[in-house]
């Protein structure tokens, strides 16, 4: 990106200096912008504001008054109330960039502020944030789901690139599905692996991570390179007897996990059948083993 394409150096405020806000604020500071104010409700977010941004906590109205670009890095549910609150209190939003980082929301959540003159942007970093010191390093090379008015697209793209990311344009109406796809993959993977680790510990495996790590790494590599063609295991082999043993064992050891296993096995069989990896007669046997129809 040429110097002429970059947005002017901006003063930045962070409303919600938690895991995401403090990391993005630090990334913008590294890019040459100046983070001037941050607010945080919890003791932890106030600590992150101090440690990552070098700031003492400010009131939200002070953050808005001090900054040209305001990051709204709060959880999804409070976001509409925060935006409408800023607009209704008469905060001076004219010409200020209001940037939320929600994956599920698009631009409409910023409408009250836009009506007051704010410039709306949705920049969602496709990464997990844990509050650890390596959060900032994780931002390099990641994708951002970006939604912006046409006139602001160059600015949105430049901000993402400056933070070391890759902008991916998401239509406003597609953001809930976009976010569902990401959350389904990342968040549910954590739950599945935690559940598998607990089951292994329950039968005496001392270090489940050592057992699962190479297997999961190979499976992730396979699906990212090959898609559903990278599928392995008893479902794609049509091993209905093995699948039934899995279900029976899970019903005894962890009934709630059995329900999830059955649902995912049906989805796996459905996709394998559609891709020609599973024969119809094998799918029928799996259907019996799973106790229900895999077709909708």
């Amino acid at each position: 990106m040429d110097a002429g394409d970059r947005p002017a150096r901006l003063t930045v405020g962070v409303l919600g200096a938690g895991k995401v806000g403090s990391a993005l604020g630090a990334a913008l500071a590294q890019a040459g912008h100046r983070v001037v104010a941050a607010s945080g409700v919890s003791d932890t977010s106030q600590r992150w504001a101090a440690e990552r941004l070098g700031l003492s906590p400010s009131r939200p109205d002070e953050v808005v008054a001090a900054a040209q670009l305001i990051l709204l890095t709060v959880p999804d549910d409070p976001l509409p109330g925060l935006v409408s609150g800023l607009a209704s209190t008469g905060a001076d939003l004219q010409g200020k960039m209001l940037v939320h980082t929600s994956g599920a929301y698009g631009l409409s959540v910023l409408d009250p502020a836009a009506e007051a003159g704010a410039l709306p942007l949705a920049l969602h970093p496709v990464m997990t944030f844990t509050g650890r010191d390596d959060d900032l390093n994780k931002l390099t090379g990641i994708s951002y789901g970006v939604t912006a008015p046409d006139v602001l697209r160059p600015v949105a793209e430049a901000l993402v690139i400056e933070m070391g990311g890759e902008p991916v344009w998401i239509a406003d109406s597609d953001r809930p599905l976009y976010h569902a796809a990401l959350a389904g993959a990342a968040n549910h993977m954590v739950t599945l692996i935690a559940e598998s680790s607990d089951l292994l510990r329950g039968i005496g495996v001392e270090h489940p991570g050592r057992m699962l790590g190479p297997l999961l790494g190979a499976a992730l590599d396979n699906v990212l390179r090959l898609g559903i063609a990278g599928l392995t295991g008893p479902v794609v082999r049509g091993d209905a007897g093995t699948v039934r043993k899995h279900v029976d064992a899970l019903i005894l050891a962890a009934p709630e996990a059995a329900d999830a296993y059955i649902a995912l096995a049906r989805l796996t069989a459905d996709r394998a059948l559609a891709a020609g990896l599973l024969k119809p007669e094998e799918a029928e046997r799996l259907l019996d083993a799973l106790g229900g129809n895999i077709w909708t």
Side-chain angles (χ1 to χ4, degrees):
M1 182 172 61
D2 296 332
D5 296 328
R6 295 172 182 167
R9 300 305 88 187
L10 301 167
T11 53
V12 177
V14 183
L15 289 177
K19 302 172 185 176
V20 178
S22 59
L24 294 186
L28 287 169
Q30 283 189 351
H33 301 286
R34 189 161 59 94
V35 184
V36 294
S39 69
V41 176
S42 70
D43 291 341
T44 303
S45 62
Q46 292 178 16
R47 175 171 56 82
W48 280 327
E51 293 177 355
R52 293 181 173 183
L53 305 177
L55 297 171
S56 300
S58 301
R59 298 192 313 269
D61 62 313
E62 293 173 331
V63 174
V64 173
Q68 297 164 307
L69 184 155
I70 302 151
L71 290 175
L72 305 180
T73 44
V74 297
D76 288 355
D77 284 355
L79 180 60
L82 174 61
V83 175
S84 60
L86 290 175
S88 65
T89 56
D92 183 10
L93 299 172
Q94 185 66 41
K96 299 195 175 188
M97 283 184 271
L98 216 58
V99 181
H100 80 67
T101 57
S102 166
Y105 279 112
L107 296 180
S108 60
V109 72
L110 298 174
D111 281 351
E115 291 169 3
L119 307 176
L121 299 171
L123 307 180
H124 173 248
V126 185
M127 179 48 62
T128 61
F129 296 87
T130 62
R132 295 167 60 89
D133 291 340
D134 61 351
D135 276 350
L136 181 57
N137 297 331
K138 291 179 181 178
L139 294 175
T140 302
I142 70 169
S143 297
Y144 285 71
V146 178
T147 305
D150 288 344
V151 69
L152 294 176
R153 283 175 67 116
V155 175
E157 183 178 53
L159 287 170
V160 168
I161 292 172
E162 283 190 330
M163 290 188 287
E166 177 184 356
V168 179
W169 296 97
I170 307 295
D172 197 274
S173 60
D174 289 336
R175 286 187 75 93
L177 186 58
Y178 150 81
H179 195 238
L182 297 177
N187 303 158
H188 297 166
M189 180 184 69
V190 171
T191 302
L192 288 171
I193 295 171
E195 184 70 27
S196 295
S197 298
D198 288 346
L199 291 170
L200 290 170
R201 287 191 193 92
I203 60 170
V205 177
E206 188 173 355
H207 300 292
R210 295 181 190 175
M211 182 177 287
L212 289 169
L215 173 66
L216 297 174
L220 180 60
D221 179 67
N222 286 343
V223 70
L224 292 178
R225 287 189 300 110
L226 305 172
I228 195 64
L231 181 64
T232 63
V235 171
V236 74
R237 291 195 301 264
D239 288 340
T242 297
V243 169
R244 185 67 243 180
K245 287 180 181 179
H246 291 176
V247 173
D248 290 342
L250 287 168
I251 287 173
L252 292 175
E256 68 286 350
D259 291 339
Y261 179 96
I262 291 169
L264 288 170
R266 288 176 178 168
L267 180 59
T268 301
D270 193 27
R271 292 186 66 94
L273 182 64
L277 303 174
L278 190 65
K279 296 176 181 178
E281 58 270 23
E282 294 171 332
E284 290 290 350
R285 290 196 295 271
L286 286 166
L287 168 64
D288 292 338
L290 293 168
N293 201 324
I294 63 174
W295 292 282
T296 56

